[in-house]
Amino acid sequence: MAITFNETTRIFTLTTAHTTYQMQADAQGYLLHLYYGARTAGEMDYLLNYGDRGFSGNPNSAGSDRTYSLDALPQEYPSLGTGDFRNYALNIENADGSQCCNPVYITHEIAAGKYTLKGLPFVRAEENEAETLKIILEDPVTKVELHLLYGVLEKEDIITRSVIIKNAGKAPVTVKKAQSACLDFLHGDYDLIKFYGRHAMERNMERMPVSHESTRIGSRRGTSSHQYNPGVILAGKNTNEDSGSCYGMLFVYSGNFLVEAEKDQYDQTRIQMGLTDELFAYPLEAGAEFTAPEVILSYTNKGLSRLSQQYHHCIMNHICQGKYVHANRPVLINSWEAAYFDFTGDTIVELAKEAKALGIDMVVMDDGWFGKRNDDNSSLGDWYVNEEKLGGTLTKLIERVNVEGVKFGIWIEPEMVSEDSDLYREHPDWAITIPGRKPVRSRNQLVLDFSRKDVRDHIFQEMTQVLDKADVDYLKWDFNRSICDVYSAKLPADRQGEVLHRYVLGLYEFLDRLGRRYPDMLIEGCSGGGGRFDAGMLHYTPQIWCSDDTDAIERLEIQYGTSFCYPVSTMGAHVSACPNHQTGRTTPLGTRATVAMAGTFGYELDPAKLTEEEKEEIRKQIGRFKEYYELIQRGDYFRLTAPSEERHYAAWEFVSPDQKEALVSVVASKVRTNDPPARVLLRGLKEEGIYLLEGREYTGGALMYGGLPLPEAKVEYQSWEFYLKLKN
Ligand code: GLA
């Protein structure tokens, strides 16, 4: 049993292969968090500390006991108005205008299998892979109920959390804040690891102590954003890649979010994740309910690489869905950096011919095939094929591509509208704008109100008219601005706080519908590169274009940061031309491939401009990628160095689950004369195993503890790949 309940002590224990999570519905009815960490037997309520805490208050139910304070005790789901003055997960505004909810334990249910969430993405599991705990708390005055949901995936060391808030009372209330998960720690000093960024430089890793202040990161852009990712790690001070305690929180959601971390007056740490309370208010009539999106928790005491692997497995096997969970992804060539808007049907067919000759599986026609779009100022929303530009119908073009022996993919940005479009001229009210105000423009485009079903239905119909007629194997779903001017013409004034959440639900409904209609079509997510790279999108799009920065050296950092929470199989990565279009940097073709192979792998250049030697090299690269496909895409991923480390070697490793094979990739991001010899310590091998590498034998232990000596870089940005195979 992964979930147990002790009727006497009212302690809930959630157990996974290596972790334990414990909470208690105490004598007052409050749900206290007792423990989350390494797997351990026994009940942990002895850890609770009671003291007369000045200015912290005591709930009335504690009578004259001045030592019972919610401001000091660890909470499972802290609520504003209960005397806990720290960051809170819940704020309910009642019909009388007061902001207070006092949830106490009523009952619980334990069931086999994993709960699901209506209209939201979630971790899915077979009946025998997970158990669910539902704890029901209730405010005795308003009868507002909280259904705290816990999904326990024992083998994966994963615990999911979500909350359903139900107005079981008679008067309306408004949910003003509803986080999805809170973790309280009685002791310890922690670092918060977060991933910040900007367009074309996403998910830079930053590690900072949690101190006596409240750190808030999140998004108010309507999407999860380039700026902060909704995946964070709380790590012990000495935790590194190999050892130490770390807790992950990953939000399965693609819109606004908030992470709060705080060390309180008694040096206790609280970290929370969920929807942000900004631009948010959700009125609940009597009987109505609200579901907070899911957070995936994971813990290990074996360091950051292990935590990442736990998330990688969870995302690959329990978040991504559809055909491409198991099917190999195509190696593709994308027209964007090859031609930008300047292409015709013949250009695409030429790309297909070159692709075939290189061993590439698919050609993707990026932005510019619809309406009268020849730059980024018009036509979004007019999803009809520009047959003049393509020299015929899309069906014909795809036939011409398929005849060359390659598949066909297409780009689209369904949530957007250009002011210069037929759609906008006909339905200006479909764009998200505030009445009486001129909307904020970005890339000269506005966002369609996807919270509206009529708007979604129209776009869906436009899209299916294109997709039904053509054999499209792949779709790149883009989103190229942040959402501002938050307002929906379909909602009354007192419900405008729902718009952005309803927008995300609308997006999910659309993607779900699309996936059902075209189950064989691979969808790659994108938002100006990786501006919506989150576990919510990965439920519908098993890969996401990682960044608009295709420079291999910059990508080292971007993919490094991304790898903490997301697997290689989700990271769209391509070999592009040099000098690189974003940075002007020139890197060896081999290095560009080594870096792109730590992702979904593809090309983003004009092959007609390549020399014969380069073409030959590309053929070999694709051969190598396909040979190592299983190892790269489904093996265990280890970060061996941080790209910003002083020695300037970025190194990572893929190890097959049976430890019989490994592939080590190394990029020298600087060349230095008379450089001290460098080595890298490998990981995840069989200590006693004998591995063959370039005609020599090494024990796994030697490579892991003595290390692998690295060759001296002779040219800037040189790279190496070392393939190791266990001798039988
Ligand atoms: C975004 C994407 C690019 C490309 C362009 C097209 O920036 O990230 O890859 O598709 O849009 O406009």
Side-chain angles (χ1 to χ4, degrees):
M1 282 288 281
I3 302 172
T4 58
F5 178 65
N6 181 335
E7 300 276 350
T8 314
T9 56
R10 301 210 299 181
I11 288 179
F12 296 93
T13 304
L14 280 44
T15 312
T16 71
H18 305 98
T19 72
T20 297
Y21 187 109
Q22 213 170 65
M23 55 203 148
Q24 180 176 40
D26 76 356
Q28 312 290 337
Y30 290 108
L31 190 63
L32 303 183
H33 178 80
L34 296 182
Y35 175 77
Y36 185 29
R39 184 167 167 158
T40 164
E43 298 194 329
M44 316 279 273
D45 50 340
Y46 68 89
L47 291 171
L48 297 172
N49 187 291
Y50 298 90
D52 185 349
R53 307 293 195 184
F55 289 84
S56 282
N58 320 108
N60 210 275
S61 57
S64 57
D65 181 359
R66 289 168 43 152
T67 70
Y68 188 93
S69 172
L70 297 181
D71 202 23
L73 287 164
Q75 305 294 312
E76 194 58 26
Y77 197 66
S79 173
L80 184 67
T82 57
D84 182 346
F85 296 95
R86 295 170 286 184
N87 288 328
Y88 49 89
L90 180 73
N91 183 16
I92 301 275
E93 188 176 83
N94 302 303
D96 61 5
S98 63
Q99 296 182 35
C100 178
C101 184
N102 186 30
V104 288
Y105 172 78
I106 299 293
T107 184
H108 72 272
E109 291 163 20
I110 296 173
K114 160 83 175 40
Y115 65 86
T116 60
L117 298 174
K118 213 166 137 231
L120 282 161
F122 53 84
V123 167
R124 44 181 183 77
E126 300 297 328
E127 185 91 352
N128 60 356
E129 289 177 323
E131 282 177 34
T132 292
L133 167 65
K134 176 157 77 175
I135 303 179
I136 301 180
L137 312 177
E138 183 199 70
D139 178 280
V141 176
T142 61
K143 303 294 177 199
V144 166
E145 287 179 9
L146 307 180
H147 297 200
L148 304 187
L149 297 170
Y150 298 81
V152 183
L153 278 72
E154 197 171 345
K155 261 181 32 206
E156 309 279 359
D157 284 320
I158 292 287
I159 295 176
T160 66
R161 287 188 63 175
S162 174
V163 184
I164 297 172
I165 301 168
K166 191 169 173 187
N167 184 359
K170 292 203 167 59
V173 299
T174 299
V175 181
K176 298 193 79 175
K177 185 177 184 188
Q179 296 261 279
S180 299
C182 169
L183 288 176
D184 266 5
F185 298 90
L186 290 165
H187 304 283
D189 270 332
Y190 297 95
D191 288 335
L192 177 66
I193 300 178
K194 56 190 194 287
F195 304 94
Y196 73 95
R198 54 190 181 273
H199 176 231
M201 198 62 205
E202 297 88 341
R203 291 171 296 285
N204 300 270
M205 190 247 219
E206 188 171 56
R207 184 171 180 159
M208 289 173 57
V210 178
S211 58
H212 294 94
E213 60 172 2
S214 178
T215 303
R216 281 170 72 100
I217 61 155
S219 167
R220 53 178 80 93
R221 293 168 179 270
T223 60
S224 46
S225 90
H226 298 84
Q227 285 68 20
Y228 297 101
N229 193 264
V232 295
I233 297 167
L234 195 69
K237 288 284 167 199
N238 299 320
T239 298
N240 57 28
E241 289 288 359
D242 277 320
S243 65
S245 269
C246 41
Y247 300 83
M249 293 181 111
L250 186 66
F251 204 20
V252 191
Y253 191 66
S254 311
N256 287 357
F257 73 96
L258 175 67
V259 174
E260 290 172 300
E262 168 184 30
K263 196 184 241 189
D264 75 6
Q265 56 184 332
Y266 304 114
D267 295 344
Q268 306 179 114
T269 297
R270 169 171 293 174
I271 181 164
Q272 306 190 129
M273 175 181 267
L275 293 173
T276 181
D277 49 354
E278 293 174 87
L279 294 164
F280 174 83
Y282 221 94
L284 291 181
E285 293 299 321
E289 59 183 48
F290 174 77
T291 305
E294 188 165 89
V295 164
I296 309 175
L297 302 175
S298 197
Y299 169 81
T300 180
N301 57 7
K302 299 209 156 41
L304 295 165
S305 281
R306 174 64 68 85
L307 186 73
S308 295
Q309 288 161 9
Q310 288 170 191
Y311 275 118
H312 295 172
H313 293 153
C314 178
I315 288 174
M316 285 196 288
N317 301 319
H318 300 280
I319 285 281
C320 297
Q321 53 182 353
K323 178 178 164 184
Y324 283 95
V325 172
H326 300 294
N328 286 8
R329 317 273 174 84
V331 173
L332 61 85
I333 186 158
N334 181 297
S335 68
W336 182 240
E337 289 195 18
Y340 295 98
F341 292 103
D342 188 15
F343 63 84
T344 63
D346 290 344
T347 320
I348 303 298
V349 175
E350 274 314 305
L351 271 182
K353 284 186 184 149
E354 297 273 7
K356 179 67 189 168
L358 293 172
I360 294 172
D361 305 313
M362 179 187 285
V363 166
V364 176
M365 178 167 67
D366 209 278
D367 195 354
W369 56 266
F370 53 93
K372 56 181 179 58
R373 179 125 163 139
N374 288 314
D375 58 34
D376 58 8
N377 292 310
S378 84
S379 302
L380 297 169
D382 293 346
W383 302 112
Y384 43 83
V385 179
N386 185 344
E387 295 186 356
E388 206 184 313
K389 182 167 177 174
L390 299 188
T393 62
L394 183 64
T395 316
K396 183 77 206 142
L397 177 64
I398 297 177
E399 273 168 25
R400 290 173 70 198
V401 166
N402 290 163
V403 160
E404 300 302 332
V406 286
K407 295 176 175 187
F408 179 85
I410 200 165
W411 175 98
I412 196 162
E413 197 177 357
E415 299 156 79
M416 295 292 163
V417 65
S418 306
E419 285 166 273
D420 181 6
S421 68
D422 293 346
L423 184 73
Y424 186 76
R425 280 183 283 272
E426 213 174 308
H427 299 287
D429 57 316
W430 284 9
I432 296 188
T433 57
I434 299 175
R437 293 180 193 272
K438 302 272 183 221
V440 172
R441 293 187 176 120
S442 184
R443 209 190 190 201
N444 252 339
Q445 62 195 56
L446 304 179
V447 186
L448 286 173
D449 185 355
F450 256 47
S451 72
R452 287 174 58 166
K453 185 156 182 336
D454 56 341
V455 174
R456 296 197 304 271
D457 285 350
H458 178 90
I459 299 296
F460 192 79
Q461 200 208 349
E462 275 197 333
M463 275 180 74
T464 51
Q465 267 175 21
V466 175
L467 296 174
D468 280 355
K469 282 194 225 112
D471 193 6
V472 174
D473 294 299
Y474 160 108
L475 187 87
K476 178 173 167 191
W477 179 297
D478 212 338
F479 182 97
N480 280 316
R481 60 161 293 177
S482 305
I483 306 180
C484 195
D485 303 288
V486 179
Y487 182 85
S488 176
K490 275 278 156 109
L491 289 171
D494 62 348
R495 303 206 72 121
Q496 291 298 324
E498 301 174 22
V499 175
L500 287 178
H501 181 59
R502 284 189 182 276
Y503 182 97
V504 178
L505 296 180
L507 166 68
Y508 291 151
E509 185 269 340
F510 196 117
L511 285 165
D512 184 60
R513 235 196 296 174
L514 196 67
R516 285 174 201 281
R517 188 165 178 128
Y518 308 105
D520 289 337
M521 186 171 73
L522 171 62
I523 309 180
E524 175 156 347
C526 180
S527 171
R532 197 160 58 182
F533 204 118
D534 57 68
M537 284 308 284
L538 288 171
H539 195 63
Y540 308 94
T541 70
Q543 59 191 57
I544 299 176
W545 182 228
C546 207
S547 178
D548 271 348
D549 189 344
T550 60
D551 176 291
I553 302 307
E554 302 254 281
R555 274 293 185 119
L556 290 175
E557 275 181 66
I558 298 168
Q559 293 174 195
Y560 168 82
T562 307
S563 77
F564 280 85
C565 294
Y566 307 99
V568 156
S569 63
T570 63
M571 291 187 221
H574 297 165
V575 173
S576 60
C578 275
N580 177 267
H581 292 194
Q582 292 80 43
T583 61
R585 192 187 336 245
T586 295
T587 46
L589 183 53
T591 300
R592 282 176 267 156
T594 298
V595 176
M597 275 190 211
T600 56
F601 197 59
Y603 290 80
E604 182 119 0
L605 43 71
D606 181 1
K609 296 194 176 128
L610 297 170
T611 64
E612 275 315 309
E613 294 76 61
E614 286 173 324
K615 287 186 183 177
E616 191 44 38
E617 190 174 340
I618 286 179
R619 274 189 280 273
K620 287 194 184 132
Q621 290 171 354
I622 294 167
R624 202 162 62 245
F625 177 68
K626 291 195 169 169
E627 189 184 339
Y628 298 141
Y629 189 91
E630 284 295 313
L631 186 53
I632 293 173
Q633 301 292 318
R634 301 199 176 95
D636 282 331
Y637 177 85
F638 292 88
R639 292 173 294 271
L640 300 183
T641 66
S644 52
E645 268 172 13
E646 215 193 315
R647 292 305 309 279
H648 304 297
Y649 283 100
W652 59 95
E653 182 189 8
F654 307 97
V655 181
S656 63
D658 60 8
Q659 297 171 295
K660 286 188 174 164
E661 285 180 286
L663 183 69
V664 179
S665 302
V666 183
V667 177
S669 41
K670 222 179 204 179
V671 62
R672 298 191 302 187
T673 183
N674 200 19
D675 210 11
R679 56 153 203 185
V680 65
L681 302 181
L682 305 195
R683 313 252 298 283
L685 303 176
K686 286 189 179 184
E687 269 186 38
E688 306 291 328
I690 309 281
Y691 289 87
L692 288 174
L693 167 63
E694 293 172 354
R696 255 206 70 157
E697 293 184 0
Y698 304 82
T699 64
L703 291 169
M704 291 195 291
Y705 313 129
L708 176 69
L710 295 179
E712 200 182 334
K714 295 287 181 218
V715 295
E716 206 164 27
Y717 312 126
Q718 198 170 347
S719 69
W720 302 268
E721 278 165 23
F722 303 100
Y723 174 71
L724 290 80
K725 197 166 171 53
L726 189 72
K727 224 175 120 187
N728 292 336

